[in-house]
Amino acid sequence: MPVGGLLPLFSSPAGGGLGGLGGGGGREGSGPAAFRLTEKFVLLLVFSAFITLCFGAIFFLPDSSKLLSGVLFHSSPALQPAADHKPGPGARAEDAAEGRARRGEEDAPGDPAASLEDNLARIRENHERALREAKETLQKLPEEIQRDILMEKEKVAQDQLSNRAGFRRLPPVYLAPVNTIGAIDREPADAAIREKREKIKEMMKHAWKNYKRYAWGKNELKPVSKGGHSSSLFGNIQGATIVDALDTLFIMNMKDEFEEAQAWVEENLNFNVNAEVSVFEVNIRFVGGLISAYYLSGAEIFRKKAVELGVKLLPAFQTPSGIPWALLNIKSGIGRNWPWASGGSSILAEFGTLHLEFMHLSYLSGNPIFADKVMNIRTVLNNLEKPEGLYPNYLNPNSGQWAQYHVSVGGLGDSFYEYLLKAWLMSDKTDLQAKKMYFDAIKAIETHLIRKSRNGLTYIAEWKGGLLEHKMGHLTCFAGGMFALGADDAPEGMTQHYLQLGAEIARTCHESYNRTFVKLGPEAFRFDGGVEAIATRQNEKYYILRPEVVETYMYMWRLTHDPKYRKWAWEAVEALEKHCRVKGGYSGLRDVYFTKESYDDVQQSFFLAETLKYLYLIFSDDDLLPLEHWIFNTEAHLLPVLSRNLKKVEDDGK
């Protein structure tokens, strides 16, 4: 089809843009019944869990002999449920209150001893709760347990039928031409800028052409060995590069390539697979990419596929707290968390980076369930005490409580903060809850994590139970753009401060590039032992075509028009061409300090979705995707500020 463009118009009945979708915070379909296990296997699991918990009680619970005696002979009052115990995420209210009082009286927040005591207290609470549940189950007859299992199975089946019924017919979406809000490109007036932008478009053509030649339909390209590459993040779902690249192809006016990508989506993009996927990665790349392509092109297939995939991700939220699992088998609905995550926890940057896409899914599907799920995440977070005002990276989906007190604005935490700010902006500044959460969070981050090096470089350290690790990741470099983007809405008198903070982070990240041999930055760099903005560990010296530094350059250029950001961006283009370009595409590097390239042989899908898109926008006029009308998800996919767009079209009509 011709690459014409349409954009939806939407304003909630409450007048709050997308924020109006977020009413409830209700949780639906929680429980373990999605695990379709046989009754005998479940009984075996219950018995095994009971034995395991008994051993745990010996080590973690006071007076454990009495406790075990109570379990076996039904006599211990310690195991009786509290009279005022209420169902819901987390520990009992009285336990939580007692814990807060104890922390306040005995130890200062962030004290390692207090942190250890808190962890032990949480372990005791979890063991007591689990033992109560085990006792109740073991007191039932086998016939009662079998009946309960069958009832849970029936409930899940009914919930799934109910959910699917709501998506068989998608509601009409009112669309306006995309050229009314800056999605149609025009050439820059300056010849030198125009030439540089054309070079970046040629880079996109080189990456796309080789992906099509050697890896078409696969998730990613191996540009050195010239074959397909598939990460386990996507399970058996294929075509990540195609979906990730759709909106970049559109805004670069690569019409033929966009149409062949659309045809592949129509004919081959299949989510009916028996595969365990990363909920986070599939959401930001596939759901985000499809939604963006729909808003730009108006092609119904993109909306249909986005909603279909969104429905398949819903079982991830079937946990006691409503905090979703990290991994989900999209056929069986069975979820779990990463084995390495602290105590089986969900990760802040993963469950906190669903909000933008799920709010749009509710609008596009006409079903509020997606918005309800992510608003419940907000409810859980707002009900938790934050250590020093900070959000730890790990949250247990069963208890609804924090696990390890590790805080990072880089990996494991990063895009949670980004999505708080962008939820506020995407709602046309009506989502006041998101605004408050964002500015409260960055105030705590600035107090406890942001530091200056001996030579004046501003960096964001990591916080581990009150102790700082003076390391900053490449992923953290997005924060410069985030601080600048939110500056206009900062508390009174703080706008210039946050613009300056963004500029300082941009400078630090540029230094991390400038201090390598290839002029591209390492995965992480440190500020200790006399070292500044340099990777000191071998496993931190690689570069995988990441976008975060040029992302910050893009925002800083748009918001300040300081020419150094175009200069720095062009340095990155030259480095990519010199060190990462190969005949078969673009490859990451194993060591950015090594004089001879050692390729990792992966052309990441986000190189086309993010890195090249941000570079292209730096050398474009500001009226291509203006920031007042468009929000970029964390994969640089385009989501419109809907109610503002509605008002602009009305004004244009007048």
Side-chain angles (χ1 to χ4, degrees):
M1 64 171 282
V3 188
L6 296 172
L7 191 85
L9 308 176
F10 174 69
S11 181
S12 76
L18 281 174
L21 287 171
R27 189 165 70 250
E28 301 171 16
S30 295
F35 299 82
R36 294 177 172 82
L37 301 174
T38 67
E39 289 79 352
K40 290 182 179 178
F41 187 49
V42 170
L43 288 170
L44 180 60
L45 282 178
V46 169
F47 182 71
S48 300
F50 170 66
I51 296 300
T52 303
L53 288 168
C54 289
F55 279 107
I58 293 170
F59 293 101
F60 292 109
L61 291 175
D63 208 3
S64 56
S65 60
K66 289 184 181 179
L67 183 63
L68 292 177
S69 174
V71 173
L72 295 173
F73 301 108
H74 316 306
S75 60
S76 173
L79 293 182
Q80 300 305 317
D84 57 348
H85 179 73
K86 296 180 176 63
R92 292 173 296 164
E94 62 269 27
D95 294 339
E98 181 185 346
R100 284 193 294 272
R102 185 172 61 249
R103 284 192 294 273
E105 292 168 5
E106 296 179 3
D107 296 286
D111 188 320
S115 177
L116 177 60
E117 178 59 31
D118 285 347
N119 286 336
L120 289 173
R122 279 195 297 274
I123 291 169
R124 292 189 193 102
E125 290 167 3
N126 289 339
H127 273 282
E128 288 175 356
R129 190 177 307 111
L131 283 165
R132 283 196 297 270
E133 293 170 358
K135 178 190 174 185
E136 291 169 2
T137 300
L138 288 171
Q139 286 178 324
K140 293 181 179 181
L141 295 172
E143 294 79 8
E144 293 178 299
I145 297 175
Q146 290 174 346
R147 186 187 64 233
D148 290 346
I149 292 170
L150 290 173
M151 289 175 65
E152 288 290 344
K153 285 183 176 180
E154 181 63 24
K155 181 179 180 297
V156 169
Q158 289 175 354
D159 287 345
Q160 290 177 342
L161 285 173
S162 174
N163 288 343
R164 287 170 184 163
F167 301 102
R168 285 177 186 153
R169 292 188 60 187
L170 298 179
V173 174
Y174 300 98
L175 300 164
V178 292
N179 59 4
T180 63
I181 49 167
I184 299 300
D185 194 13
R186 68 180 185 186
E187 293 288 324
D190 185 296
I193 297 300
R194 191 163 61 243
E195 182 180 351
K196 288 179 177 179
R197 196 178 78 147
E198 193 59 33
K199 172 58 184 174
I200 296 163
K201 182 174 179 178
E202 186 277 329
M203 293 169 70
M204 179 68 179
K205 288 182 175 179
H206 179 68
W208 179 262
K209 177 184 68 176
N210 283 287
Y211 168 76
K212 183 181 176 184
R213 178 180 299 166
Y214 300 117
W216 186 246
K218 303 296 183 184
N219 279 321
E220 289 166 321
L221 166 67
K222 299 179 78 171
V224 178
S225 53
K226 298 179 181 177
H229 173 260
S230 285
S231 166
S232 61
L233 296 171
F234 313 118
N236 295 336
I237 298 175
Q238 296 295 316
T241 293
I242 295 173
V243 177
D244 240 358
L246 281 164
D247 50 12
T248 307
L249 295 171
F250 188 97
I251 67 169
M252 289 186 180
N253 204 28
M254 294 171 63
K255 295 181 179 179
D256 292 342
E257 292 86 346
F258 182 88
E259 289 175 2
E260 65 192 7
Q262 179 178 333
W264 187 90
V265 169
E266 290 178 347
E267 297 167 10
N268 298 291
L269 185 58
N270 177 26
F271 304 130
N272 295 315
V273 293
N274 185 8
E276 186 178 65
V277 303
S278 163
V279 174
F280 163 75
E281 294 287 354
V282 166
N283 175 65
I284 64 171
R285 301 198 203 199
F286 283 89
V287 176
L290 291 165
I291 290 174
S292 178
Y294 173 68
Y295 284 147
L296 290 170
S297 70
E300 188 66 22
I301 184 63
F302 297 129
R303 175 166 70 139
K304 177 177 177 292
K305 288 290 186 181
V307 174
E308 177 190 346
L309 180 54
V311 172
K312 288 185 175 293
L313 295 179
L314 288 174
F317 293 84
Q318 291 178 353
T319 67
S321 65
I323 298 296
W325 299 113
L327 301 168
L328 179 73
N329 185 300
I330 58 175
K331 180 177 181 180
S332 69
I334 295 175
R336 66 182 179 101
N337 277 333
W338 298 105
W340 49 263
S342 175
S345 291
S346 299
I347 295 167
L348 182 69
E350 296 194 337
F351 67 77
T353 309
L354 303 170
H355 192 96
L356 303 184
E357 297 84 0
F358 272 54
M359 295 300 280
H360 274 276
L361 284 173
S362 273
Y363 168 55
L364 293 176
S365 68
N367 192 315
I369 189 171
F370 300 104
D372 289 345
K373 296 297 185 187
V374 291
M375 291 306 294
N376 177 66
I377 293 174
R378 287 247 195 110
T379 300
V380 173
L381 292 175
N382 278 323
N383 288 338
L384 288 170
E385 183 181 356
K386 286 81 177 172
E388 302 286 7
L390 298 166
Y391 288 83
N393 291 338
Y394 299 105
L395 196 154
N396 189 298
N398 292 311
S399 68
Q401 298 294 317
W402 302 121
Q404 192 179 95
Y405 277 14
H406 174 205
V407 178
S408 169
V409 184
L412 307 180
D414 49 7
S415 46
F416 164 71
Y417 306 100
E418 174 190 358
Y419 270 39
L420 289 179
L421 172 63
K422 291 179 177 179
W424 156 248
L425 297 174
M426 192 180 77
S427 72
D428 207 7
K429 301 185 178 181
T430 61
D431 187 350
L432 297 175
Q433 183 186 54
K435 179 185 180 184
K436 182 180 187 308
M437 290 174 72
Y438 169 73
F439 282 108
D440 286 350
I442 64 170
K443 181 180 178 182
I445 286 167
E446 191 166 6
T447 300
H448 298 288
L449 274 68
I450 295 182
R451 296 290 184 266
K452 265 194 191 299
S453 72
R454 185 175 302 171
N455 292 314
L457 292 179
T458 300
Y459 63 96
I460 308 176
E462 297 191 6
W463 190 89
K464 296 183 176 181
L467 303 176
L468 285 183
E469 183 178 12
H470 297 274
K471 175 185 80 169
M472 184 169 173
H474 194 292
L475 289 165
T476 319
C477 286
F478 89 97
M482 178 183 73
F483 291 138
L485 182 62
D488 268 354
D489 300 304
E492 187 174 355
M494 296 293 285
T495 294
Q496 193 56 43
H497 169 75
Y498 282 118
L499 272 176
Q500 181 61 31
L501 181 57
E504 291 177 11
I505 296 295
R507 174 176 171 245
T508 298
C509 293
H510 175 257
E511 283 300 311
S512 77
Y513 273 45
N514 205 40
R515 297 178 185 193
T516 71
F517 175 78
V518 300
K519 305 305 178 186
L520 295 166
E523 182 69 5
F525 44 95
R526 294 180 179 266
F527 296 85
D528 51 27
V531 166
E532 294 190 4
I534 293 175
T536 58
R537 302 181 183 182
Q538 191 59 43
N539 64 355
E540 296 173 347
K541 294 181 178 181
Y542 61 90
Y543 172 72
I544 56 171
L545 307 174
R546 285 203 187 277
E548 291 78 21
V549 173
V550 296
E551 175 184 356
T552 278
Y553 294 167
M554 190 277 290
Y555 282 112
M556 295 306 302
W557 164 253
R558 283 284 181 96
L559 296 166
T560 70
H561 282 184
D562 186 327
K564 72 183 176 189
Y565 297 113
R566 277 184 163 170
K567 176 179 179 292
W568 292 352
W570 190 247
E571 290 173 0
V573 169
E574 291 177 321
L576 286 165
E577 286 295 279
K578 182 175 181 180
H579 298 288
C580 296
R581 183 167 179 149
V582 295
K583 289 183 178 179
Y586 290 87
S587 173
L589 302 171
R590 299 185 188 279
D591 190 336
V592 293
Y593 301 96
F594 197 51
T595 55
K596 180 174 174 57
E597 292 88 356
S598 176
Y599 299 115
D600 68 9
D601 197 18
V602 180
Q603 179 177 282
Q604 304 280 349
S605 75
F606 55 68
F607 179 66
L608 291 79
E610 300 184 74
T611 309
L612 293 176
K613 183 186 288 130
Y614 287 132
L615 287 168
Y616 188 79
L617 291 173
I618 291 169
F619 294 98
S620 298
D621 292 343
D622 290 359
D623 56 4
L624 175 60
L625 307 175
L627 298 181
E628 66 268 25
H629 291 297
W630 294 95
I631 300 298
F632 295 88
N633 87 338
T634 200
E635 191 80 355
H637 293 311
L638 300 157
L639 303 170
V641 180
L642 295 166
S643 57
R644 183 184 296 272
N645 293 331
L646 175 60
K647 184 177 185 304
K648 176 169 176 55
V649 173
E650 289 174 347
D651 292 345
D652 289 348
K654 293 175 184 178

